[in-house]
Amino acid sequence: CVSPRSNSQFPIPNSQFPIPINMIVISKFMPIAQTLYSQLDTERIQAFQVAQELSKKFVELGFQIVPQVLWAIGILLITRFAIDFAGRLTRRALSRTEATLRKFLVQAAEIAILVVGVVAALSKLGIQTTSVVAVVGAASLAIGLAWQNTLSHFAAGVMLISLRPFEVGDAIEGT
């Protein structure tokens, strides 16, 4: 039963309340819309699953990294306390030496402890410390060779301060 008003290809049932043409079009395109919506819903679910998996991996990574970072911070704090303790101990042990030499030796001890602490912290973070130690050693060798004359004069000054071969007021003879 097709309505006489309809010249379209969509049949309109004959009833007391005729169905508007837009309802018929909607009813024809509804399965297409539902299919598209289900595909969109599937994509949305997949995106949600990817986001959920990514957040799960971030949490796992956080549980792996955060303890290592906390340990590294703890090592650096212990290193700081060790530097203070070694500085006080070295000052007491070298209290009878000349002030310049004492200051140099205290700073050398503090720097050595700092280097050991930083290498230990880097090791706890998972960084290969053998390469860091090799780079520091190579840099020290390069600096030592470049500053050979300056360092020999510095060593001579340290020896003069520590051995005190002459006193204030001594005369130096020579050419």
Side-chain angles (χ1 to χ4, degrees), residues 118-131:
V118 168
V119 168
L122 290 175
S123 174
K124 193 60 181 173
L125 288 175
I127 297 172
Q128 294 292 328
T129 56
T130 54
S131 59

Side-chain angles (χ1 to χ4, degrees), residues 36-128:
L36 290 174
Y37 182 75
S38 67
Q39 288 176 353
L40 179 66
D41 200 34
T42 304
E43 290 175 4
R44 191 180 292 165
I45 289 171
Q46 288 175 347
F48 179 72
Q49 288 172 344
V50 167
Q52 196 174 23
E53 187 68 28
L54 188 62
S55 68
K56 196 182 301 181
K57 290 201 184 263
F58 274 136
V59 168
E60 289 174 6
L61 185 64
F63 278 118
Q64 290 174 355
I65 290 177
V66 169
Q68 291 176 343
V69 169
L70 291 176
W71 272 106
I73 291 171
I75 289 171
L76 291 176
L77 289 174
I78 291 170
T79 301
R80 183 66 190 139
F81 291 127
I83 288 172
D84 290 340
F85 178 73
R88 278 185 267 126
L89 187 67
T90 309
R91 280 185 196 88
R92 275 193 217 132
L94 299 174
S95 62
R96 294 186 181 157
T97 60
E98 209 275 325
T100 308
L101 180 62
R102 181 177 54 239
K103 183 177 179 183
F104 169 72
L105 292 175
V106 167
Q107 285 180 344
E110 289 174 346
I111 290 172
I113 292 171
L114 179 66
V115 168
V116 169
V118 168
V119 168
L122 290 175
S123 174
K124 193 60 181 173
L125 288 175
I127 297 172
Q128 294 292 328

Side-chain angles (χ1 to χ4, degrees), residues 113-174:
I113 292 171
L114 179 66
V115 168
V116 169
V118 168
V119 168
L122 290 175
S123 174
K124 193 60 181 173
L125 288 175
I127 297 172
Q128 294 292 328
T129 56
T130 54
S131 59
V132 173
V133 170
V135 167
V136 169
S140 299
L141 179 66
I143 290 171
L145 290 174
W147 290 357
Q148 188 173 5
N149 288 335
T150 305
L151 291 176
S152 68
H153 294 308
F154 178 75
V158 169
M159 287 176 50
L160 286 174
I161 290 172
S162 63
L163 298 177
R164 293 182 186 230
F166 49 87
E167 299 287 324
V168 175
D170 285 351
I172 300 174
E173 294 180 18

Side-chain angles (χ1 to χ4, degrees), residues 9-28:
Q9 44 185 307
F10 301 113
I12 301 175
N14 212 359
S15 68
Q16 222 175 8
F17 300 105
I19 300 174
I21 190 78
N22 59 357
M23 291 300 286
I24 294 171
V25 171
I26 289 173
S27 68
K28 292 295 182 179

